[in-house]
Amino acid sequence: MDRFKDVLKASNLKSTHQRLAILDCIDMFGHIDVDTLYEAILRKYPTMSKATLYRNINDLISFHILEEVKLPNQKQQYEIKKVPHIHLLCTHCGCVEDVFVETKTLLDAVKDKSGFTISNSFIVMNGTCELCSSQVISNNTQNTCSLEMQTL
Amino acid sequence: MDRFKDVLKASNLKSTHQRLAILDCIDMFGHIDVDTLYEAILRKYPTMSKATLYRNINDLISFHILEEVKLPNQKQQYEIKKVPHIHLLCTHCGCVEDVFVETKTLLDAVKDKSGFTISNSFIVMNGTCELCSSQVISNNTQNTCSLEMQTL
DNA sequence: AATAAATAGGATAATTAATATCTTATTAAG
DNA sequence: CTTAATAAGATATTAATTATCCTATTTATT
């Protein structure tokens, strides 16, 4: 069940309920900002302090367990660190999708042109997701592609 | 001299000294965060209020004259809006370079795989710039590739 | 299981960042 | 030069983030 226990242990971090809740919740949402995360966690742990949330997010990032996701015109979001991938932000419904596509060709081109040694890339694309495209979206209708959290 | 006067006029925005200073300064630095920008502008306009800076940054963004630049592990930066390009962040000296490389192939691949209609892409790469690569950088030595502002 | 050391959590205060409000000043058009 | 529109500055307010300090929990060891 608690695969994140092992992840924490590997970094010599204690498996507190709060940390596991944070990780499970982020994992479930895929991508989430601090406030939404806090709200969601409060339902399960009404006593969790916001300081604890901020502290843990920062700690988990410094141990490379979490990763920040910076999206244009959006609050900072976080995700479980995984293999490199591209983020797609639907500007209609706000959902964020991951897509795994080969980027080596682009990185090589950039390297050649700039002289930079590239170690990492962060790619975000704006657009319209398949669901939103398939519907005629009225001005005040919004899809909600993002998961609701069922159980923590 | 003041090419930004025309830019402002085109959006029916008044050419105040403050706005021109903000635009000139961002243009000179290329990429800059709010605090550095404020500091730099204070040298020329010691009376400029921070509220004015924030207000103008937001206004200029909404008129697509400025654009936010989100870099990993960095404070939010801003640049003059230009044609789409890739940002390279040197993790040694902190400098940010623009590089103009064809991305259509990647966008098409992402589109095919995801079903998203892509309207915009934001690409940042981390790495080591040419100057830093060419030097043996000791732990506490940092290049300063970023411009110092000479005249505003 | 009980104990103890290390570490993390919670509450709160403090700091920092960003925005809103209101009055005065500046811009730009006539 | 005058005037209407808009922007600036000062300040207050709100929001976001971090620091501090004391208590609680975890985990290794007996």
Coordinates of all heavy atoms in Angstrom, one line a residue, chain B residues 17-18 21 37-52 152, chain D residues 8-10:
Chain B
H17 N 7.4 58.3 -17.6 CA 8.8 58.0 -17.3 C 9.0 56.7 -16.7 O 9.9 55.9 -17.0 CB 9.4 59.1 -16.5 CG 9.4 60.5 -17.1 ND1 9.0 61.6 -16.4 CD2 9.7 60.9 -18.3 CE1 9.0 62.6 -17.2 NE2 9.4 62.3 -18.4
Q18 N 8.1 56.4 -15.8 CA 8.2 55.1 -15.0 C 8.1 53.9 -16.0 O 8.9 53.0 -15.9 CB 7.1 55.1 -13.9 CG 7.3 56.1 -12.8 CD 6.7 57.4 -13.1 OE1 6.4 57.8 -14.3 NE2 6.5 58.2 -12.1
A21 N 11.1 53.6 -18.1 CA 12.2 53.1 -17.3 C 12.1 51.6 -17.1 O 13.1 50.9 -17.3 CB 12.3 53.8 -16.0
L37 N 14.9 44.4 -10.5 CA 14.4 45.5 -11.4 C 14.1 46.8 -10.6 O 14.5 47.9 -10.9 CB 13.1 45.0 -12.1 CG 12.3 46.0 -13.0 CD1 13.2 46.5 -14.1 CD2 11.1 45.3 -13.6
Y38 N 13.5 46.6 -9.4 CA 13.1 47.7 -8.6 C 14.4 48.4 -8.1 O 14.5 49.7 -8.2 CB 12.3 47.3 -7.4 CG 11.8 48.4 -6.5 CD1 11.0 49.4 -7.1 CD2 12.1 48.5 -5.2 CE1 10.5 50.4 -6.3 CE2 11.6 49.5 -4.4 CZ 10.8 50.5 -5.0 OH 10.3 51.5 -4.2
E39 N 15.3 47.7 -7.7 CA 16.6 48.2 -7.2 C 17.3 49.1 -8.3 O 17.7 50.2 -8.1 CB 17.6 47.1 -6.9 CG 18.1 47.0 -5.5 CD 19.1 45.8 -5.4 OE1 18.6 44.7 -5.1 OE2 20.3 46.0 -5.6
A40 N 17.3 48.5 -9.5 CA 17.9 49.1 -10.7 C 17.2 50.4 -11.0 O 17.9 51.5 -11.3 CB 17.9 48.2 -11.9
I41 N 15.9 50.4 -11.0 CA 15.2 51.6 -11.3 C 15.3 52.7 -10.3 O 15.3 53.9 -10.6 CB 13.7 51.2 -11.6 CG1 13.6 50.4 -12.9 CG2 12.8 52.5 -11.7 CD1 12.2 50.0 -13.3
L42 N 15.4 52.3 -9.0 CA 15.5 53.3 -8.0 C 16.7 54.2 -8.2 O 16.7 55.3 -7.8 CB 15.6 52.6 -6.6 CG 14.3 52.2 -5.9 CD1 14.6 51.7 -4.5 CD2 13.3 53.4 -5.9
R43 N 17.8 53.7 -8.8 CA 19.0 54.5 -9.0 C 18.7 55.7 -9.9 O 19.2 56.7 -9.7 CB 20.0 53.6 -9.7 CG 20.6 52.6 -8.7 CD 21.8 51.8 -9.4 NE 21.8 50.5 -8.8 CZ 22.2 49.4 -9.4 NH1 22.5 49.4 -10.7 NH2 22.3 48.2 -8.8
K44 N 17.8 55.4 -10.8 CA 17.4 56.5 -11.7 C 16.2 57.3 -11.2 O 16.2 58.5 -11.4 CB 17.1 56.0 -13.1 CG 16.9 57.0 -14.2 CD 18.2 57.6 -14.8 CE 17.9 58.7 -15.7 NZ 18.6 58.7 -17.0
Y45 N 15.3 56.6 -10.7 CA 14.0 57.2 -10.2 C 13.8 56.9 -8.7 O 13.0 56.0 -8.4 CB 12.8 56.8 -11.0 CG 12.8 57.4 -12.4 CD1 13.3 56.6 -13.4 CD2 12.4 58.7 -12.6 CE1 13.3 57.1 -14.7 CE2 12.4 59.2 -13.9 CZ 12.9 58.4 -14.9 OH 12.9 58.9 -16.2
P46 N 14.5 57.6 -7.8 CA 14.5 57.2 -6.4 C 13.1 57.3 -5.8 O 12.9 56.8 -4.7 CB 15.4 58.2 -5.7 CG 16.2 58.8 -6.9 CD 15.3 58.8 -8.1
T47 N 12.1 57.9 -6.5 CA 10.8 58.1 -5.9 C 9.8 57.0 -6.4 O 8.7 56.9 -5.9 CB 10.2 59.4 -6.3 OG1 10.0 59.4 -7.7 CG2 11.2 60.5 -6.0
M48 N 10.3 56.1 -7.3 CA 9.3 55.1 -7.8 C 8.8 54.2 -6.7 O 9.6 53.6 -6.0 CB 10.0 54.3 -8.9 CG 9.5 52.9 -9.1 SD 8.4 52.7 -10.6 CE 9.5 53.0 -11.9
S49 N 7.5 54.1 -6.7 CA 6.9 53.2 -5.7 C 6.8 51.8 -6.2 O 6.7 51.5 -7.4 CB 5.5 53.7 -5.4 OG 4.7 52.7 -4.8
K50 N 7.0 50.9 -5.2 CA 6.9 49.5 -5.6 C 5.5 49.1 -6.2 O 5.4 48.2 -7.0 CB 7.3 48.6 -4.5 CG 7.9 47.3 -4.9 CD 8.7 46.6 -3.8 CE 9.6 45.5 -4.4 NZ 10.4 44.8 -3.4
A51 N 4.5 49.8 -5.7 CA 3.2 49.5 -6.2 C 3.1 49.9 -7.6 O 2.4 49.2 -8.4 CB 2.2 50.4 -5.4
T52 N 3.8 50.9 -8.0 CA 3.8 51.3 -9.4 C 4.5 50.3 -10.3 O 4.0 49.9 -11.4 CB 4.6 52.7 -9.6 OG1 3.9 53.7 -8.9 CG2 4.6 53.1 -11.1
L152 N 20.3 54.2 -17.9 CA 18.9 53.8 -18.1 C 18.2 54.7 -19.1 O 18.3 55.8 -19.2 CB 18.2 54.0 -16.7 CG 16.9 53.3 -16.6 CD1 17.0 51.8 -16.8 CD2 16.3 53.6 -15.2
Chain D
dA8 P 2.4 54.9 -13.9 OP1 3.7 54.8 -14.6 OP2 1.6 53.7 -13.4 O5' 2.6 55.9 -12.7 C5' 3.2 57.2 -12.9 C4' 3.4 57.9 -11.6 O4' 2.1 58.2 -11.0 C3' 4.1 57.0 -10.5 O3' 5.1 57.8 -9.9 C2' 3.0 56.6 -9.6 C1' 2.0 57.7 -9.7 N9 0.6 57.2 -9.6 C8 0.0 56.2 -10.4 N7 -1.3 56.1 -10.1 C5 -1.6 57.0 -9.1 C6 -2.7 57.3 -8.4 N6 -3.9 56.7 -8.6 N1 -2.7 58.3 -7.5 C2 -1.5 58.9 -7.3 N3 -0.3 58.7 -7.9 C4 -0.4 57.7 -8.8
dG9 P 6.1 57.2 -8.9 OP1 7.4 57.9 -9.0 OP2 6.0 55.7 -9.0 O5' 5.4 57.6 -7.5 C5' 5.2 58.9 -7.2 C4' 4.6 59.0 -5.8 O4' 3.2 58.6 -5.8 C3' 5.3 58.2 -4.8 O3' 5.5 59.0 -3.6 C2' 4.3 57.0 -4.5 C1' 3.0 57.7 -4.8 N9 1.9 56.8 -5.4 C8 2.1 55.8 -6.4 N7 1.0 55.2 -6.7 C5 0.0 55.8 -5.9 C6 -1.4 55.6 -5.8 O6 -2.0 54.8 -6.5 N1 -2.0 56.4 -4.9 C2 -1.3 57.3 -4.1 N2 -2.1 58.0 -3.3 N3 0.0 57.6 -4.2 C4 0.6 56.8 -5.1
dA10 P 6.3 58.4 -2.4 OP1 7.1 59.5 -1.9 OP2 6.9 57.1 -2.7 O5' 5.1 58.2 -1.3 C5' 4.1 59.2 -1.1 C4' 3.1 58.7 -0.1 O4' 2.1 57.9 -0.8 C3' 3.7 57.8 1.0 O3' 3.2 58.2 2.2 C2' 3.2 56.4 0.6 C1' 1.9 56.7 -0.1 N9 1.6 55.7 -1.2 C8 2.5 55.1 -2.0 N7 1.9 54.3 -2.9 C5 0.6 54.4 -2.6 C6 -0.6 53.7 -3.1 N6 -0.5 52.9 -4.1 N1 -1.8 54.1 -2.6 C2 -1.8 54.9 -1.5 N3 -0.8 55.6 -1.0 C4 0.4 55.2 -1.5

